[in-house]
Amino acid sequence: MRALIEIAETLIFGLFPTRAGVKVASRKANRGGGVGLAEARVPSKNARLTITNSCFAGLEIALRKRKTTLGRRLDCDICLDDSLVSDQHAAITRTDTGFHIEDLNSRHGLTLNGKEVHQRKLHNGDTIEIGNFRLRFSC
């Protein structure tokens, strides 16, 4: 089953099942908030990240906000629970020219397609590595 995650608040990925911020379901969560999964029927113009490793491999995260933050802190849009991930590690920003990723002065850096970068425009199929997480960008 393929799934698309809509960000309503914070997504938490890690090995702590009692604190997981993802509700696995075949439909969207209720309108009152929270995070839910829906069938992945997204037009190609919608950008998303797909986790390609760990127990979360295959999960797709829709990038609907102008700026999406990734890091270990719970106030990040996508929380990656890994000791190699900084509190506020990176940000993905939507602009008129496309999507850009920026390292937010993290301890261990940001890797895009195997090369360490500080800031770069994202292209369809790019692989982002943050800590032990690998994410594929698609739009």
Side-chain angles (χ1 to χ4, degrees):
M1 177 176 118
R2 291 181 48 145
L4 172 69
I5 297 175
E6 301 279 345
I7 300 175
E9 292 181 16
T10 298
L11 296 177
I12 304 171
F13 296 104
L15 300 176
F16 43 88
T18 59
R19 289 181 47 199
V22 177
K23 178 182 178 185
V24 178
S26 60
R27 58 184 172 78
K28 290 183 181 178
N30 61 19
R31 292 184 183 154
V35 176
L37 301 181
E39 290 297 317
R41 293 184 189 172
V42 179
S44 61
K45 66 180 181 177
N46 290 333
R48 61 191 172 272
L49 295 176
T50 304
I51 299 175
T52 61
N53 68 334
S54 80
C55 59
F56 301 104
L59 287 180
E60 295 180 348
I61 305 163
L63 299 174
R64 303 226 192 274
K65 296 175 71 176
R66 186 183 168 291
K67 183 175 184 178
T68 302
T69 56
L70 299 95
R72 205 172 62 225
R73 285 180 41 169
L74 293 176
D75 61 349
C76 290
D77 297 308
I78 301 172
C79 180
L80 303 170
D81 187 41
D82 178 35
S83 62
L84 298 176
V85 177
S86 295
D87 289 347
Q88 289 191 327
H89 200 103
I92 297 175
T93 307
R94 179 176 34 90
T95 66
D96 293 337
T97 60
F99 285 82
H100 297 79
I101 190 162
E102 177 183 6
D103 186 317
L104 300 177
N105 298 316
S106 65
R107 285 187 319 260
H108 297 287
L110 169 69
T111 304
L112 183 66
N113 299 323
K115 296 180 182 175
E116 192 166 325
V117 298
H118 180 71
Q119 186 175 11
R120 202 63 103 227
K121 182 175 181 181
L122 291 171
H123 300 281
N124 192 40
D126 281 350
T127 299
I128 302 163
E129 292 182 44
I130 297 176
N132 288 313
F133 286 90
R134 278 194 314 269
L135 308 119
R136 185 179 61 246
F137 175 79
S138 53
C139 59

